[in-house]
Amino acid sequence: MGHLHNRNIIIGVTGGIAAYKIAELIRLLRGDGAAVRIIMSRGAQAFVTPLTLQSLSGFPVHTELLDETAEMGMGHIELARWADAFIVAPATADALARLAAGRADDLLTTTALATPAPVFVAPAMNQQMWKNAATATNIQRLIDRGVEIIGPSAGEQACGDVGLGRLSEPAQIRAAISAHFPSRALEGRRVVITAGPTREPLDPVRYISNHSSGKMGFALAQAAAEAGAETVLISGPVTLDTPEGVTRVNVDTALQMHEACVQHIKKPTAIFIGSAAVADYRAEVEAPQKIKKVGDTLTLNLTRNPDIITEVARSASRPSLMVGFAAETEHLIDHAEAKRLAKQLDVVIANDVSRADIGFNSDVNMVSWVDSMGHDVIPITTKRNLAKLLIARCIARMPQNCADDEHRATQSEDDS
C-alpha cells in the first residue's frame, strides 16, 4: 500500500454524529507516520470537542476563518499549502452541497478551495438523504472536479434507519488515502489487464456486445503503472485514452482477446486481472452480407467463445496472482465464490450491475473482494480510487516470494 510517512493530512470535520469516528482515523494516520491537522465546523464541535482532537493530533484545532495567530492572518492559505491531502469526514449532506457549489464562507470550505492537494470526501447522512437526487447531483459534480469519494457504507444508522449512508470505517478511509500515494511496489513486475466489451459480428453491420465502458479496467491499468508495473492493457472497443506508461493492445472480438492474452502471458506475469466483459457466445457463422429483415422472428445459431480467464489460470505460464471480475444481478457473493472455484482464481471482484448508480458506465463503483478467506465489501468510491485500493490489495495478496521469482525469471530472459 502507499506510504503516509511524513505526509501532511488535513481532516475537515463537519456536524454529523459520525464525527466521533475521527478520533480513530487520526490515530491510524499518525500511526502510519502522517502529520494530521484538524478543521472543525461549528456543527462538528457539538459532537466532539476540539480539545479531544487536538490531544490526538498534537496540533491546535482550527475553527475560524480569520486567524489572528496565523502568519499574515491568512490561516486558510497556510493550511492549504501545507496539506498533501485534504479529507472531509464525516461529510454531511449540507457539506456536500456547499463543496459542490464552491462556497467559501467558513474555514473548511475556503481551505478546500485553496488547496492544490487531492481532496477526499467521506459522506455520512441518513439513507434517504443519500438517495435524494440533489445529493447524487452534488456527488457527481465533485467527482467531475477530481474529488475522490470514499463510501458511504451500508448498515444501521443512528436514526434507526438501515441503508447506505454510514461513514466508512476509519481503516477504510485510511486505506483510500494511503492508496493515493503509490508505493512503487510493482517496480520491475509485469501486470496484464483486460478491459471493455467485445463485439461479436453477426454480419457486416451488426454485432453482439454489452454495456461495459472499460472505465474500471483502464483505471486499474493506470494504478498498476503508477505502482511501477510494466502494464499491458488488452482492451475491447472503447473511447478512452490510454493511461500514461501503459502498453495498449486493441481487440474487437473474444477470439482476438483470447489470442492477445495467450501471447502476453508467455512472459512471466505477476498479476493478471480479467476485468473485460467478454461475450460468452459468437455467431456460428458470420453472414457475408447484411441479414435482411424477413418475417417476425430471426433465429441465430451461436457457439461458445473460449473462457479466457480459465485458460489463462490453467496454462503452464499461469500468472502469480489471478484476479477475475463477476458482474452479477443477484446472489452476488454466492456466484462470485462459485466462479472463483470453477475458474481456479485467487480473487474475484464482484459488483452488482443491476444497480443504476454503480457499475457499467458509472464513474463510481462498490465491489466485494472475494477470496479463500471470505469476502469484504469495499464501499462506494470513484473507479479511480477503487482501482488504487484493488491494486494495493493485489500486492498484499500476491503469494509470498512470487514477485521475486517472477522478477528473476524476467532478468534471466533479458540476459539470455
Side-chain angles (χ1 to χ4, degrees):
M1 187 167 284
H3 300 289
L4 292 178
H5 184 67
N6 289 333
R7 299 289 184 182
N8 297 329
I9 299 174
I10 294 175
I11 305 176
V13 187
T14 68
I17 183 63
Y20 77 91
K21 291 186 177 181
I22 301 309
E24 175 65 6
L25 177 59
I26 295 170
R27 188 189 69 79
L28 291 174
L29 294 175
R30 292 199 67 190
D32 286 344
V36 182
R37 292 194 176 187
I38 307 297
I39 297 174
M40 296 185 76
S41 70
R42 291 183 181 179
Q45 296 171 60
F47 292 96
V48 180
T49 67
L51 181 59
T52 298
L53 301 190
Q54 176 178 316
S55 300
L56 291 166
S57 68
F59 288 103
V61 171
H62 304 273
T63 58
E64 298 298 332
L65 179 58
L66 302 177
D67 185 355
E68 295 179 358
T69 66
E71 181 184 350
M72 301 176 63
M74 300 177 69
H76 60 287
I77 299 299
E78 294 165 36
L79 277 171
R81 290 172 177 167
W82 176 84
D84 292 313
F86 187 110
I87 169 74
V88 183
T92 62
D94 177 67
L96 291 176
R98 293 165 66 232
L99 289 167
R103 295 279 293 274
D105 51 3
D106 66 0
L107 179 59
L108 192 153
T109 54
T110 303
T111 307
L113 276 181
T115 187
V119 177
F120 301 81
V121 168
M125 66 197 71
N126 168 266
Q127 55 87 24
Q128 193 59 49
M129 296 172 73
W130 173 252
K131 289 193 292 188
N132 192 286
T135 301
T137 297
N138 291 330
I139 287 289
Q140 190 59 53
R141 285 178 179 172
L142 293 172
I143 291 172
D144 291 343
R145 294 176 196 160
V147 174
E148 297 286 358
I149 310 299
I150 305 171
S153 297
E156 186 175 352
Q157 300 179 321
C159 61
D161 285 358
V162 176
L164 280 171
R166 285 170 56 97
L167 180 70
S168 295
E169 292 304 314
Q172 294 172 324
I173 297 173
R174 185 266 301 268
I177 299 171
S178 181
H180 184 83
F181 301 101
S183 65
R184 307 296 291 178
L186 291 175
E187 195 81 53
R189 318 301 177 201
R190 199 158 178 278
V191 175
V192 176
I193 298 172
T194 67
T198 62
R199 290 178 177 175
E200 311 304 322
L202 300 175
D203 63 23
V205 297
R206 300 183 181 91
Y207 56 80
I208 300 171
S209 191
N210 55 64
H211 296 295
S212 175
S213 65
K215 290 179 180 178
M216 191 70 250
F218 274 63
L220 285 164
Q222 183 174 350
E226 288 174 351
E230 175 194 345
T231 306
V232 177
L233 176 62
I234 302 171
S235 175
V238 298
T239 56
L240 297 172
D241 294 331
T242 306
E244 185 176 352
V246 172
T247 300
R248 180 172 175 175
V249 179
N250 290 322
V251 299
D252 284 312
T253 68
L255 290 177
Q256 291 169 353
M257 184 170 285
H258 173 263
E259 178 61 24
C261 289
V262 169
Q263 290 302 317
H264 282 280
I265 64 163
K266 286 181 178 178
K267 290 182 65 176
T269 301
I271 303 172
F272 182 94
I273 304 177
S275 69
V278 183
D280 293 322
Y281 294 88
R282 67 182 185 276
E284 193 172 58
V285 178
E286 180 184 347
Q289 304 297 332
K290 179 182 176 182
I291 300 172
K292 295 300 182 181
K293 182 169 60 178
V294 179
D296 294 332
T297 61
L298 174 67
T299 299
L300 297 174
N301 291 323
L302 304 178
T303 188
R304 282 287 298 270
N305 275 320
D307 190 323
I308 296 173
I309 199 164
T310 299
E311 290 195 20
V312 171
R314 295 176 180 176
S315 69
S317 53
R318 174 191 169 104
S320 300
L321 185 73
M322 288 292 306
V323 182
F325 271 67
E328 303 291 348
T329 58
E330 60 178 356
H331 307 302
L332 188 67
I333 303 303
D334 290 343
H335 287 167
E337 176 62 7
K339 181 173 185 176
R340 187 184 72 83
L341 294 173
K343 296 179 183 292
Q344 299 181 13
L345 305 180
D346 299 297
V347 180
V348 169
I349 310 301
N351 64 306
D352 185 350
V353 294
S354 68
R355 289 179 49 172
D357 58 331
I358 59 174
F360 287 151
N361 294 306
S362 174
D363 290 320
V364 300
N365 207 353
M366 178 174 72
V367 302
S368 293
W369 172 281
V370 182
D371 63 15
S372 59
M373 302 298 291
H375 71 275
D376 182 27
V377 176
I378 301 177
I380 291 176
T381 187
T382 61
K383 288 182 176 177
R384 177 83 181 90
N385 197 50
L386 176 60
K388 292 181 179 181
L389 290 169
L390 292 177
I391 291 297
R393 286 192 176 213
C394 286
I395 293 168
R397 179 62 174 74
M398 286 172 64
Q400 207 167 26
N401 299 326
C402 77
D404 291 336
D405 292 344
E406 184 268 327
H407 183 57
R408 284 195 291 271
T410 303
Q411 291 292 99
S412 299
E413 273 196 4
D414 293 341
D415 293 342
S416 61

